[in-house]
Amino acid sequence: MLDPQLVLGAYAVGVFPMADHRDAGGVYWVEPRTRAILPIDGFRLSKSLRKTIGRDRFRVTADAAFERIIQLCAESAEDRPETWINTDIERVFTTLHRLGFAHSIECWEGEELVGGLYGLALGRAFFGESMVSRRTDASKVALAWLVARLKAGGFTLLDCQFMTDHLASLGAVEIDRADYCALLAGALDGGTGSAAASVRSAAATGDFFALERPATSPPPAPTAVVSGPVAGQDIVQLLVQTS
């Protein structure tokens, strides 16, 4: 069984767990030679996606259905018959969510969950784990909302793990391990001690819920923060604004 502190320590040094398939009895640890990241100011907002977000085609929430999102990501689908999310990974991320480290973005049509993503927040880094779409553009909308949320909350690194054509079309780039480790160290405030110490010093740096903070609360970064209910137009505004 995966230990939450072990998982946090692994992410703090650039390593993450995967499983061979849904029913795998264990996990293996991965440290890619090249890493896909999406620069916080580099999200590629196409005209069509901008319209979809601005018109609030989907109702978008954060941390409203974490367990349902991770289960949806783990389901087999026509374009993804197998998954790397086994029960150990699902269990430990559910625990990390309850501890305040793991988060989700959900896209809804009415009361139906039709897409979203989940990942891990540590320091000013967010490690995207998986995203899912059961409607056209649902995962793109979820990622756009995530980027806007990270931008508002003062995050500096969005780790996408492996490059895909889908991520590349949205602005993701591939960097080598050394460059990634430098970005990660900066996002964890340059922690150079043990993994556990890095986790402790960086655990609450980024503000994942900055978008919902009252206007009287000081923003964690010089980017614009939208207070009160968040609409698609607010997200578009954050995405097109340069730091």
Side-chain angles (χ1 to χ4, degrees), residues 49 52-53 56-66 68-70 72-73 104-118 131-146 235:
L49 183 57
T52 297
I53 296 170
D56 292 308
R57 175 183 164 193
F58 301 109
R59 179 170 62 89
V60 184
T61 56
D63 281 5
F66 182 89
R68 289 177 63 186
I69 278 291
I70 195 170
L72 194 64
C73 286
S104 59
I105 303 290
E106 305 91 12
C107 290
W108 308 81
E109 277 189 348
E111 296 304 311
E112 183 181 2
L113 183 62
V114 296
L117 56 83
Y118 79 95
M131 54 186 181
V132 62
S133 187
R134 294 292 185 263
R135 295 291 187 277
T136 301
D137 288 341
S139 62
K140 290 183 180 181
V141 170
L143 186 58
W145 276 72
L146 173 66
I235 299 303

Side-chain angles (χ1 to χ4, degrees), residues 175-193:
I175 60 176
D176 64 29
R177 182 186 296 165
D179 289 338
Y180 173 79
C181 288
L183 290 174
L184 178 60
L188 299 182
D189 292 333
T192 56

Side-chain angles (χ1 to χ4, degrees), residues 130-217:
S130 184
M131 54 186 181
V132 62
S133 187
R134 294 292 185 263
R135 295 291 187 277
T136 301
D137 288 341
S139 62
K140 290 183 180 181
V141 170
L143 186 58
W145 276 72
L146 173 66
V147 173
R149 182 173 290 276
L150 299 183
K151 188 173 182 179
F155 287 78
T156 60
L157 174 63
L158 172 50
D159 175 15
C160 302
Q161 297 181 346
F162 301 108
M163 180 63 81
T164 65
D165 291 341
H166 179 63
L167 288 170
S169 72
L170 295 170
V173 297
E174 206 166 34
I175 60 176
D176 64 29
R177 182 186 296 165
D179 289 338
Y180 173 79
C181 288
L183 290 174
L184 178 60
L188 299 182
D189 292 333
T192 56
S194 68
S198 295
V199 169
R200 286 195 299 271
S201 67
T205 304
D207 185 357
F208 190 77
F209 295 100
L211 286 177
E212 291 85 8
R213 301 297 178 203
T216 54
S217 297

